[in-house]
Amino acid sequence: RNARLALDEVDYRNALMRLYEPTPRVQLGQALRGVATAAIDISDGLVGDLGHICALSGLGATVEVPLIPLSAIGARHIASVEGLRAVLAGGDDYELCFTAPTNARESMEDLSEMLDIPLTRIGRMHKGRGVSLQGADGKPLEIELQGFDHFSAPA
């Protein structure tokens, strides 16, 4: 359960640089005002932080796992269970996860081009609770995840 992802020295150094020198998405956050219905930075893991949006909105979310944008490191490790867990529940990405109405897709494309920041639709909000994962085959993906919890003691 507490398996760790083993990185080579180059990937480890690159990951540390992203951790200690993140690219803040302040301009994007400001541009999303009036368009996004909810937004959160992914500091505690994609599934965990999207789960906060779900809890506060009273909705569920389905994430299409193959649509999640990957770093070069993520792409090299996504096929392993540990790599998949890192992509879904690893934190300190400081990218933005946001929701927007379906009719805002063209606006999102324009915004992406204007800011020169790739924006990717990775799923949808719907009636229900929590975050569900969908694999490449369209079927539910079952994987045990635990995002970062500020209030739990380290194991």
Side-chain angles (χ1 to χ4, degrees):
R1 281 202 169 63
N2 291 325
R4 295 184 180 252
L5 185 62
L7 300 178
D8 64 32
E9 189 173 337
V10 172
D11 283 351
Y12 178 74
R13 287 180 189 208
N14 287 335
L16 278 181
M17 288 301 294
R18 289 272 303 160
L19 173 65
Y20 294 126
E21 295 183 22
T23 304
R25 298 298 187 194
V26 176
Q27 197 176 17
L28 173 60
Q30 291 171 337
L32 288 171
R33 284 179 163 164
V35 180
T37 51
I40 192 167
D41 73 312
I42 305 173
S43 57
D44 296 340
L46 172 63
V47 171
D49 286 321
L50 180 54
H52 297 315
I53 289 177
C54 291
L56 292 171
S57 68
L59 295 171
T62 297
V63 173
E64 298 175 45
V65 173
L67 298 180
I68 298 171
L70 300 174
S71 66
I73 298 169
R76 282 193 286 282
H77 294 279
I78 191 74
S80 71
V81 173
E82 293 81 10
L84 181 59
R85 282 189 180 130
V87 166
L88 296 171
D92 295 315
D93 292 328
Y94 301 105
E95 293 293 342
L96 294 181
C97 175
F98 64 91
T99 61
T102 348
N103 63 6
R105 286 190 182 159
E106 191 173 315
S107 299
M108 292 296 109
E109 290 170 10
D110 293 343
L111 184 61
S112 176
E113 191 174 311
M114 182 181 77
L115 297 176
D116 195 28
I117 297 173
L119 301 178
T120 307
R121 186 191 66 78
I122 62 167
R124 64 191 177 285
M125 301 299 290
H126 50 77
K127 290 181 182 179
R129 291 180 169 231
V131 178
S132 60
L133 305 170
Q134 185 176 311
D137 58 4
K139 295 181 181 173
L141 184 64
E142 300 295 330
I143 183 167
E144 187 176 323
L145 298 173
Q146 183 174 344
F148 183 77
D149 182 352
H150 293 277
F151 301 104
S152 68

